[in-house]
Amino acid sequence: MLYVIKQSLKVISRRKRNFVLTSFVVALGISLVVQTQILEGTIERNYKDIMIESFGNTDLIVYSVNQIYFPQNVSTTLIQEYAIEFEGIFPQISYSINTYYPEKGQFEQNVALETIGTDFNTTFWGGIYSNSSNQEIDISLLGNEEIVISPELANSLKTNIGSQITINLLDEYGNPFYHNVTIKEIYDYIDYGRTGDPNDFRRVFMSEKAVQSLIPTTIDNPITNIVIGIEDHVDTPFLGREKSDEAKELVQSVLTQDYPDYMLEVYSIREDSRENLEEGVSGFTSIFQMFGIVVVIAGLLLITNIQLMNMEEREQQIGMLRAIGAKKREIFFSYAIETILIGVLGGIFGLLLGIGIGVWLNGISRDMLSAMGNPEISKSIFDIVVEPDTLILSIIAAVVLSVVTGMVPALRARGISIIEIVRGTKTKTKTTTLNGKRPLWPFLIGGLFIFLGLTTLIDLIQTGHPFYSPEGFRNIEEEAARNFEALFYIGLGIIFLSFRFQRYRRASLSIGGLLLISLTIWGFQIAIDWANEGGNANNIAITGLLAAVIGATTIVGTNLESLTAQLRKGFTLSKRTRATGLVATRYINARKSRAVLTFATFAVILSLNFFIGSYAETQITGSSHTWEQYMSGVSLVVESQTPFNLSKLDYPETLQNEFDEIKQIYPLEVGMILPFDGAISEISPEEDIFYSKLVAINCSTFINEEEEVLFPFTFENMLANYSTLSMINRLKYREAAVEESKNFWQVFLNGKKIHRETKLPVDSDNPNGLPIFLGERLYFLEIGDIVSFPASNGSLIEMIYGGSMNYFPSFDMRINEFTIGIIVSSEIASQFSIQGYGIKEFLIETTNGYEYDKNKALSGKIEEFSNSQSSESLLTIGDGTFYGITAHHLWDVFYHSYATNANALNFLQTFIATGLIIGVIGLLVVSHRSVKERKREIGMLRSVGFSKKAVSLAVLLELLFLGILGFLVGFLTGNYLAWVFADLVNWNLVIPWVQVSLYGIFIIGSVVIAALIPGWLAARIPPSEALRYHG
Amino acid sequence: MTDDILILEDLHKIYGEGTPNSVHALRGINLKIKRGEMVAIMGPSGCGKTTMLNICGGLDIPTSGSVKINGVDISTYNDTQMTNFRRDNIGYVFQLFNLFDYMNAQENVMIPLLAQGMSYSEATRRATMILREVGLGDRLYQAPSELSGGQQQRVAVSRALVTHPVLIMGDEPTGDLDSITSEDIMDMFRRINTDNNQTLILVTHSKWIGDQCDRIIYLRDGRVVGE
Ligand SMILES: Nc1ncnc2c1ncn2[C@@H]1O[C@H](COP(=O)(O)OP(=O)(O)OP(=O)(O)O)[C@@H](O)[C@H]1O
Ligand SMILES: [Mg+2]
């Protein structure tokens, strides 16, 4: 045994370079696996962290469905009931205000004024800590006129401890008033225990009493919600749906019984939010996982490629060794030791390299995110996470692969006849027929796959819908997946079987390959559709991608000969390339598996590059387009959280006189509150603006699968329907909605058409004949359904549902989950009661068009001009309250909403680009190896009259051909997938040609380097010497 | 134009000159070979036969001395000139056949023609013709690994001949073949020699082959020691 080890070490040291190069390639391959694992772990963990952070220790939350406020007694009741069982029960008030620092004229709106029931304060709930002293700030000790704000807010208001600022609120009639407060403290951070985003700088705190005295309600001791923490969560961040819901039911039953008037609802907020968040990020993580898998495949291809070379070389040597009397066992062990060493060394270095790259990529992505103006997210996302389990597992898998591929020749050596090897020419192109027999294993594996596929199909035929059908597919997810699986198996089976039945090989390989490729499309379709429904079909998407890889590789491999024949024909046209072309193309065919592996590595990674590149470009173009449409000429929005006083409506004229760049200002009227608590509608005073928004409170984030939607969608039913809205299968109505959106009724905004026509008849004498248009959330309505809303006189106004909008002409970018937008005729609008009344938004059309910089500058000037007004300001009302404005540049809002996507895409692009670079380096090494192997042959070429250049050219042509082939296949599949995604949201595919050409240059450049350097070096060897070279 | 197709004058070859293990493989070879001669070069292993042949065929360059072929001194040629010279004037047959294993018999023979820039169809025609002549008309599309040793060597000879080179070099062309096959190959060489008046230089260990040549040149320790 010792002798064998010594022997193999000798072999290794003799073939040092080979050994090192192989280990290097294995390391590169494994680094791809590792890097992917790290990033995957990082993404997953960090999303969870954010989640845990922002929900503090809250498990349940209590809101009133029909009231904003309810009495604090509710929480007292709960405490009496559950004080022991729950970790904490806290009444809370949360209220949105504006803050203004008159001294510096600085203004911030949409600030969350918060407080928490002080009677029950415990350490469990965490706390807020002073910026200066680091001591916990006790909110209950604050005076009525004292406030605690965040350092960022202090900074933005240019204020400090001790300064007096103004907060603006609305009274119960919707009229604005202001209140002066002194900054008592600036807090540093909020303990994680406290619910809410700790990074949100728009959170300010006052004492419970102070807030209660400010908020507009007649209820004594009002609160807005109760947060509840359940004991178990301390150990497990997530209770689990079951436990959480159990507690929820418990609380709900008490509240329903004791406080029926307030319609109190308990929500499993932590579990709900987790589900929402996971749903939200699942799109990204699933795409990342798909990418990761593909990158890993590229790594494995790389390893297989170099090991295949070793394999060919070894079979030769093994024959020789056995011919001179070496024992099988010895040979086996010596090679086993070598390959294990390669695997382990490569594994260790790959691990280190992968971690290095992972950390580096992580840094890059974080810097990039920060640079892209999303510091909040980038701060918390992508802190590096190295999950030891998955890392070790992936390393083991990769090492095992490299060892297995390395040892196959050693294992096979047992069956190889010595004569075959020694006598044969160098290559073993027909390894499958080496023993004159066809191997049995492809037959068995192929048969097994086909059997699996057929049984699945038969089962489907008997019990469900076989093959694709829109209905069965969309509604019964399982069936789609199983159909997909069945076909995937059959495709694989056909491919395997073809190795057994040589006669039909070409045909069956092509069929299998095509089947797999077409399955890709389906896999993605399923995955995307499920994602839209909130489901997760990662595995199908991943299998789909795998299918693409296997399919494309199979088809190209099958047709390699005819492809190269075409190429050869092309080369015969020129005298100079005739011989070179023949040599290069024949060589590719002779080393088919190597060629296929090389090509596949290129194709696999490039397909991702192209996919993500085109998708990013498509998205930015598509959304810009949508956005421009959305903006309908408007570039800026001036908004105030406090409604502008109508009597001061000379504000727009003043602005217009002040700034030449302003072309037109459109006021949008808001603050119309329906006599239904929590619903407001916006209606413009202009005759021809049909614009209305109905805001309903808390209606949709909470899912209850059991409830049914009540029809017709009347006001009474509306409440009951609230909790049901989001469970509606949007896809079910998707097509109808999309179809409908093409048929809009004409809606004008100040003479500008913003919607197209609908087919509904319009009878202006009959209010019921006027269609209304509802936002996307209400897809479950059928065209023509009657929808009722309460009018000012208390009666219900019935309207016909006229279709849904695919975009909403609101310029308030903070439309959130709670918003249901409707567009009604002004006639209908006039029948609604109006309580609080004023202008909230002005839309500004400028002479700059969509020019970013100019409009951006203008928005700054408008803010400065408006907010620095004195007490005689236009923006000061009645008792001297100043209500300041914010001027948004609409593109900014757009970019903001787009930023997260862009960040994700950028991150993916970097990740994939790194993969590409590593892959190309690996191919460089592989190419180097393969040229070295051909030293003798190059001598022969030189002896028959090939110049150095011609030799290099032959080597280059080979790799160039494979590179370009990979490029093309990558380009086609990548863009195909991008197109699938784009088509889903009705965007046109936009291909970033500059980027494509850069990739082209990169690939051609690397290929030229990878081929020319070793090619030239080999050509330089004097032919006489090259000819003496053996193996 | 003289009758001597190959003139070697004071030819020296030192491998790894200046290094401690330099080998003085050729030590002043003077030799003239006439057009249309069929010459055998014999000598013990390691005496420099292959080295000499390689230099004559432009596969290697001498350390000193001159190699004149057809009256042109090729020892001063640069790589490109040498390549073109080889391509147009020399045909090689090696002991180990040295066929391109990834091309079929026909393509192997076509390669030198294509390298000369001949059209694909013309090259195909000629290769087919010559392979028919050597009795491989039914093996045109076989890969080398599917041919016997003798057949492989016939392909190799065809490849050397197909460009009608003035000089044909064989480095132990029958070294790997049994006697009957060797006879076949030698018949081919003789036929070329008599029919086309092409010059052949064959390195061999076989007395029997030497006897069939017009001349035998004996080498020992890098010198010509007799004829
Ligand atoms: N590239 C080289 N570097 C160093 N020495 C070499 C090289 N090639 C050949 N030699 C040496 O030059 C001498 C002549 O070698 P050559 O191959 O010409 O011999 P040969 O006569 O053809 O022998 P054989 O009959 O065994 O083929 C030998 O001693 C050999 O070791
Ligand atoms: Mg020799």
Side-chain angles (χ1 to χ4, degrees):
Chain A
M1 190 65 208
L2 204 68
Y3 163 78
V4 170
I5 293 176
K6 262 191 201 157
Q7 245 356 79
S8 46
L9 286 182
K10 231 190 239 167
V11 171
I12 292 172
S13 68
R14 205 169 335 114
R15 301 158 23 85
K16 225 179 297 165
R17 273 185 61 175
N18 233 353
F19 179 80
V20 170
L21 284 183
T22 307
S23 308
F24 179 58
V25 173
V26 170
L28 288 179
I30 288 179
S31 78
L32 287 176
V33 180
V34 169
Q35 157 199 344
T36 307
Q37 286 299 324
I38 288 184
L39 292 175
E40 212 175 298
T42 301
I43 290 168
E44 223 183 277
R45 173 83 72 81
N46 283 303
Y47 274 124
K48 254 189 193 138
D49 284 351
I50 295 173
M51 181 63 259
I52 293 165
E53 262 181 46
S54 58
F55 287 94
N57 290 330
T58 308
D59 288 306
L60 304 180
I61 195 156
V62 179
Y63 283 113
S64 160
V65 168
N66 63 348
Q67 314 270 309
I68 298 174
Y69 309 102
F70 55 92
Q72 205 169 63
N73 309 348
V74 178
S75 67
T76 317
T77 309
L78 286 182
I79 286 161
Q80 283 161 1
E81 254 343 285
Y82 298 115
I84 306 156
E85 267 156 86
F86 293 155
E87 191 74 30
I89 299 168
F90 302 92
Q92 228 185 2
I93 309 176
S94 194
Y95 190 73
S96 182
I97 56 167
N98 298 336
T99 51
Y100 177 55
Y101 185 38
E103 210 164 289
K104 297 271 165 70
Q106 295 302 316
F107 178 74
E108 276 297 333
Q109 55 185 20
N110 295 313
V111 173
L113 171 64
E114 292 182 21
T115 192
I116 192 154
T118 47
D119 299 352
F120 320 101
N121 219 342
T122 69
T123 47
F124 161 78
W125 208 248
I128 59 175
Y129 293 82
S130 164
N131 195 8
S132 48
S133 67
N134 246 340
Q135 295 294 306
E136 183 174 351
I137 302 165
D138 190 344
I139 296 170
S140 64
L141 297 181
L142 293 175
N144 267 6
E145 251 65 286
E146 285 173 342
I147 194 164
V148 177
I149 69 174
S150 71
E152 291 91 345
L153 184 61
N155 196 29
S156 121
L157 288 177
K158 299 185 177 152
T159 182
N160 214 325
I161 294 180
S163 305
Q164 202 176 57
I165 61 171
T166 305
I167 58 176
N168 295 25
L169 307 91
L170 294 181
D171 67 15
E172 53 188 304
Y173 306 106
N175 295 317
F177 70 98
Y178 73 98
H179 186 69
N180 290 325
V181 289
T182 310
I183 301 174
K184 173 76 176 166
E185 284 275 14
I186 294 173
Y187 67 80
D188 185 28
Y189 67 99
I190 302 170
D191 189 291
Y192 282 1
R194 197 169 288 268
T195 184
D197 181 2
N199 294 316
D200 185 1
F201 82 93
R202 290 176 188 273
R203 296 177 78 184
V204 300
F205 295 87
M206 287 178 74
S207 77
E208 188 186 16
K209 273 213 189 66
V211 178
Q212 282 180 337
S213 71
L214 287 172
I215 56 177
T217 175
T218 48
I219 296 172
D220 287 340
N221 289 328
I223 56 176
T224 53
N225 56 291
I226 303 170
V227 290
I228 299 171
I230 302 172
E231 259 170 4
D232 296 17
H233 80 84
V234 177
D235 297 323
T236 50
F238 298 102
L239 276 178
R241 172 57 70 191
E242 210 174 298
K243 244 187 175 163
S244 184
D245 281 354
E246 214 173 275
K248 169 187 144 169
E249 292 305 322
L250 216 62
V251 177
Q252 183 73 67
S253 63
V254 170
L255 295 183
T256 315
Q257 198 189 324
D258 291 3
Y259 300 96
D261 295 348
Y262 292 103
M263 295 183 78
L264 294 162
E265 280 279 355
V266 189
Y267 303 103
S268 293
I269 189 164
R270 183 185 283 261
E271 287 302 319
D272 290 345
S273 308
R274 183 197 37 188
E275 269 163 29
N276 278 352
L277 193 89
E278 277 174 359
E279 212 175 281
V281 298
S282 78
F284 177 69
T285 43
S286 70
I287 287 181
F288 181 80
Q289 272 165 6
M290 286 189 269
F291 278 39
I293 293 251
V294 175
V295 168
V296 165
I297 287 174
L300 298 183
L301 286 176
L302 208 55
I303 295 176
T304 314
N305 205 340
I306 191 116
Q307 289 290 50
L308 192 77
M309 280 183 180
N310 289 341
M311 190 159 136
E312 283 170 6
E313 195 184 302
R314 257 173 219 155
E315 274 177 12
Q316 185 78 9
Q317 286 174 351
I318 287 170
M320 300 281 191
L321 282 173
R322 289 202 48 205
I324 58 165
K327 281 190 198 123
K328 277 182 188 175
R329 240 167 54 103
E330 286 170 1
I331 296 175
F332 177 77
F333 273 118
S334 116
Y335 279 108
I337 288 169
E338 188 187 334
T339 52
I340 287 170
L341 266 180
I342 287 179
V344 170
L345 264 185
I348 292 170
F349 284 114
L351 178 68
L352 295 178
L353 189 65
I355 292 180
I357 294 171
V359 170
W360 172 78
L361 256 187
N362 203 42
I364 292 262
S365 63
R366 195 177 5 201
D367 291 352
M368 201 162 57
L369 296 187
S370 310
M372 292 200 55
N374 212 338
E376 291 302 321
I377 288 177
S378 63
K379 234 188 290 171
S380 41
I381 296 191
F382 305 136
D383 278 331
I384 199 86
V385 172
V386 182
E387 302 265 19
D389 305 2
T390 47
L391 274 192
I392 289 168
L393 265 179
S394 56
I395 284 274
I396 289 176
V399 169
V400 163
L401 176 93
S402 74
V403 169
V404 164
T405 47
M407 283 194 351
V408 166
L411 285 167
R412 273 226 298 241
R414 291 155 182 270
I416 291 174
S417 93
I418 302 171
I419 300 126
E420 287 266 356
I421 291 283
V422 179
R423 173 179 176 258
T425 43
K426 229 177 111 303
T427 46
K428 290 283 146 296
T429 44
K430 286 175 287 297
T431 39
T432 46
T433 51
L434 203 62
N435 305 332
K437 269 187 278 173
R438 286 176 195 157
L440 193 63
W441 60 268
F443 181 71
L444 292 179
I445 297 179
L448 184 72
F449 273 127
I450 294 214
F451 175 76
L452 271 176
L454 286 181
T455 43
T456 314
L457 262 190
I458 287 168
D459 189 45
L460 276 168
I461 290 168
Q462 284 167 351
T463 59
H465 304 81
F467 305 114
Y468 175 82
S469 73
E471 279 315 303
F473 169 58
R474 287 208 169 120
N475 298 334
I476 312 168
E477 300 171 352
E478 191 101 335
E479 283 184 2
R482 291 182 59 208
N483 267 306
F484 174 84
E485 261 167 44
L487 294 181
F488 183 67
Y489 289 145
I490 290 174
L492 276 185
I494 292 173
I495 288 177
F496 272 107
L497 279 186
S498 71
F499 286 101
R500 169 79 180 176
F501 299 107
Q502 308 266 342
R503 199 189 311 175
Y504 309 105
R505 184 187 281 188
R506 263 188 81 96
S508 53
L509 281 179
S510 303
I511 292 171
L514 279 176
L515 181 62
L516 288 184
I517 286 187
S518 43
L519 273 183
T520 311
I521 303 161
W522 196 11
F524 270 82
Q525 201 78 36
I526 297 174
I528 291 167
D529 280 355
W530 288 15
N532 279 345
E533 283 186 70
N536 185 339
N538 289 354
N539 47 350
I540 293 185
I542 288 165
T543 324
L545 238 156
L546 269 179
V549 173
I550 300 171
T553 311
T554 305
I555 287 187
V556 169
T558 313
N559 298 296
L560 203 59
E561 252 145 63
S562 40
L563 277 172
T564 49
Q566 293 305 316
L567 186 73
R568 188 174 51 73
K569 268 186 205 144
F571 282 122
T572 53
L573 296 177
S574 160
K575 260 189 186 179
R576 294 170 143 266
T577 54
R578 233 165 250 166
T580 336
L582 181 65
V583 168
T585 51
R586 285 296 181 263
Y587 195 79
I588 293 173
N589 282 327
R591 307 285 190 282
K592 214 184 230 172
S593 26
R594 202 183 285 184
V596 167
L597 284 173
T598 306
F599 140 79
T601 314
F602 277 122
V604 160
I605 304 194
L606 278 170
S607 68
L608 291 187
N609 281 292
F610 286 128
F611 164 64
I612 197 76
S614 292
Y615 185 65
E617 193 74 7
T618 298
Q619 200 184 42
I620 189 141
T621 315
S623 26
S624 306
H625 182 72
T626 311
W627 194 247
E628 261 173 38
Q629 210 177 338
Y630 197 72
M631 285 163 75
S632 13
V634 174
S635 306
L636 303 178
V637 173
V638 165
E639 64 156 350
S640 172
Q641 203 186 357
T642 319
F644 290 79
N645 192 327
L646 262 191
S647 65
K648 297 272 188 180
L649 258 182
D650 44 353
Y651 175 66
E653 275 105 76
T654 316
L655 270 191
Q656 196 141 20
N657 292 338
E658 183 70 23
F659 300 102
D660 290 343
E661 286 163 272
I662 295 180
K663 201 156 128 196
Q664 182 79 48
I665 300 185
Y666 311 108
L668 278 183
E669 196 165 316
V670 292
M672 192 186 85
I673 299 175
L674 296 175
F676 153 64
D677 212 357
I680 20 171
S681 177
E682 300 171 5
I683 293 174
S684 165
E686 309 281 323
E687 257 302 300
D688 52 357
I689 295 183
F690 312 139
Y691 176 65
S692 165
K693 190 168 72 179
L694 189 123
V695 183
I697 294 283
N698 301 335
C699 66
S700 62
T701 34
F702 309 106
I703 300 169
N704 188 339
E705 302 278 346
E706 277 92 61
E707 282 178 50
E708 287 207 347
V709 181
L710 301 179
F711 289 99
F713 190 54
T714 58
F715 179 61
E716 281 84 9
N717 286 340
M718 197 168 171
L719 289 180
N721 283 339
Y722 275 159
S723 54
T724 320
L725 300 190
S726 59
M727 65 163 267
I728 299 304
N729 180 347
R730 288 195 221 168
L731 273 174
K732 205 166 151 190
Y733 296 95
R734 189 191 170 91
E735 247 121 78
V738 169
E739 211 35 60
E740 234 13 81
S741 69
K742 293 177 187 156
N743 295 312
F744 275 130
W745 184 41
Q746 281 188 1
V747 177
F748 291 90
L749 173 66
N750 275 356
K752 202 169 283 168
K753 201 197 280 186
I754 59 169
H755 283 303
R756 281 153 291 171
E757 279 173 274
T758 180
K759 54 190 172 192
L760 275 190
V762 176
D763 176 2
S764 53
D765 294 334
N766 172 14
N768 286 350
L770 290 174
I772 61 160
F773 296 88
L774 295 165
E776 202 181 0
R777 302 201 60 81
L778 302 179
Y779 277 158
F780 60 89
L781 286 176
E782 302 285 352
I783 307 284
D785 274 356
I786 303 295
V787 184
S788 310
F789 291 101
S792 45
N793 59 11
S795 67
L796 290 176
I797 297 176
E798 295 191 327
M799 286 167 278
I800 299 173
Y801 173 60
S804 58
M805 300 174 294
N806 62 352
Y807 66 95
F808 194 78
S810 161
F811 298 93
D812 177 359
M813 291 315 135
R814 282 182 313 281
I815 293 181
N816 53 32
E817 279 285 302
F818 308 139
T819 304
I820 298 171
I822 62 169
I823 292 182
V824 298
S825 69
S826 52
E827 197 172 335
I828 292 179
S830 66
Q831 297 177 57
F832 289 105
S833 68
I834 295 171
Q835 291 183 9
Y837 192 63
I839 302 284
K840 206 170 160 188
E841 287 173 350
F842 291 100
L843 311 182
I844 298 179
E845 210 177 324
T846 71
T847 54
N848 305 327
Y850 294 126
E851 262 180 82
Y852 182 84
D853 291 334
K854 285 187 184 167
N855 285 330
K856 182 79 190 162
L858 180 62
S859 75
K861 280 187 257 173
I862 290 175
E863 258 182 34
E864 206 179 306
F865 172 78
S866 309
N867 288 346
S868 56
Q869 296 294 297
S870 65
S871 57
E872 293 97 53
S873 162
L874 296 163
L875 299 180
T876 311
I877 49 166
D879 54 0
T881 310
F882 177 79
Y883 46 88
I885 55 101
T886 309
H888 294 292
H889 187 225
L890 279 179
W891 275 113
D892 275 350
V893 183
F894 160 57
Y895 278 123
H896 184 76
S897 66
Y898 176 74
T900 320
N901 257 333
N903 286 341
L905 289 176
N906 269 308
F907 173 72
L908 284 176
Q909 255 174 326
T910 323
F911 168 68
I912 296 304
T914 315
L916 181 66
I917 291 169
I918 294 177
V920 165
I921 292 175
L923 287 176
L924 224 113
V925 177
V926 169
S927 146
H928 174 83
R929 258 293 300 275
S930 105
V931 172
K932 256 192 68 190
E933 195 182 274
R934 294 167 67 184
K935 210 161 148 190
R936 180 183 172 77
E937 184 221 314
I938 285 172
M940 278 154 64
L941 284 173
R942 301 273 282 131
S943 79
V944 299
F946 270 58
S947 63
K948 282 184 200 169
K949 260 189 219 158
V951 167
S952 310
L953 187 65
V955 176
L956 175 64
L957 279 182
E958 267 166 56
L959 205 56
L960 204 56
F961 171 71
L962 296 176
I964 289 174
L965 205 60
F967 184 89
L968 287 180
V969 171
F971 180 81
L972 291 178
T973 49
N975 279 301
Y976 175 73
L977 295 182
W979 176 78
V980 169
F981 274 83
D983 195 52
L984 229 96
V985 280
N986 289 320
W987 281 338
N988 292 324
L989 180 67
V990 185
I991 298 172
W993 291 110
V994 176
Q995 199 186 3
V996 170
S997 17
L998 283 180
Y999 275 125
I1001 291 168
F1002 175 72
I1003 289 303
I1004 289 174
S1006 336
V1007 157
V1008 166
I1009 292 170
L1012 277 195
I1013 292 178
W1016 185 247
L1017 287 179
R1020 266 184 39 192
I1021 301 168
S1024 58
E1025 208 165 298
L1027 281 166
R1028 282 176 198 267
Y1029 182 85
H1030 291 271
Chain B
M1 185 161 166
T2 97
D3 228 19
D4 293 327
I5 191 159
L6 175 75
I7 304 172
L8 304 181
E9 278 172 1
D10 196 24
L11 197 69
H12 283 267
K13 177 70 187 184
I14 304 171
Y15 286 110
E17 202 179 1
T19 62
N21 33 351
S22 70
V23 178
H24 204 151
L26 299 180
R27 304 164 180 250
I29 304 245
N30 289 292
L31 192 69
K32 286 182 181 173
I33 290 172
K34 290 199 175 64
R35 186 179 304 277
E37 259 186 326
M38 183 161 166
V39 180
I41 296 174
M42 296 184 74
S45 182
C47 69
K49 303 181 295 288
T50 300
T51 308
M52 190 183 107
L53 203 70
N54 282 346
I55 291 176
C56 294
L59 286 175
D60 207 347
I61 40 173
T63 312
S64 70
S66 76
V67 183
K68 278 194 188 129
I69 294 178
N70 253 347
V72 188
D73 188 352
I74 64 163
S75 52
T76 57
Y77 273 9
N78 67 17
D79 189 78
T80 315
Q81 286 170 314
M82 199 77 113
T83 302
N84 290 341
F85 171 79
R86 259 196 322 261
R87 191 186 66 198
D88 298 335
N89 298 295
I90 313 279
Y92 292 94
V93 184
F94 302 95
Q95 174 182 5
L96 286 169
F97 320 139
N98 275 349
L99 295 176
F100 300 100
D101 56 42
Y102 47 86
M103 286 191 269
N104 62 31
Q106 190 189 48
E107 287 165 340
N108 261 287
V109 178
M110 283 163 70
I111 276 289
L113 295 173
L114 294 177
Q116 286 180 342
M118 186 179 284
S119 79
Y120 203 83
S121 54
E122 179 61 16
T124 314
R125 201 180 62 77
R126 288 208 195 174
T128 312
M129 211 164 69
I130 199 159
L131 283 169
R132 286 217 181 102
E133 273 172 34
V134 301
L136 291 175
D138 55 346
R139 293 281 190 279
L140 292 178
Y141 307 114
Q142 230 87 338
S145 59
E146 293 161 346
L147 295 172
S148 76
Q151 288 168 332
Q152 286 186 46
Q153 197 63 318
R154 271 187 269 170
V155 175
V157 172
S158 307
R159 190 177 68 190
L161 297 180
V162 75
T163 55
H164 299 298
V166 290
L167 252 177
I168 294 155
M169 313 265 179
D171 193 347
E172 297 178 44
T174 60
D176 256 19
L177 303 173
D178 62 71
S179 56
I180 296 181
T181 322
S182 299
E183 245 172 86
D184 273 0
I185 299 290
M186 279 314 289
D187 281 347
M188 278 173 65
F189 281 138
R190 262 203 316 276
R191 220 174 36 240
I192 301 154
N193 181 242
T194 49
D195 294 0
N196 308 349
N197 200 30
Q198 275 168 301
T199 314
L200 278 115
I201 305 177
L202 307 176
V203 166
T204 181
H205 286 286
S206 153
K207 186 81 184 68
W208 173 77
I209 290 180
D211 287 345
Q212 306 194 34
C213 293
D214 305 338
R215 252 170 102 186
I216 305 180
I217 294 162
Y218 292 98
L219 287 193
R220 178 169 297 222
D221 291 338
R223 289 192 182 91
V224 179
V225 291
E227 301 222 356

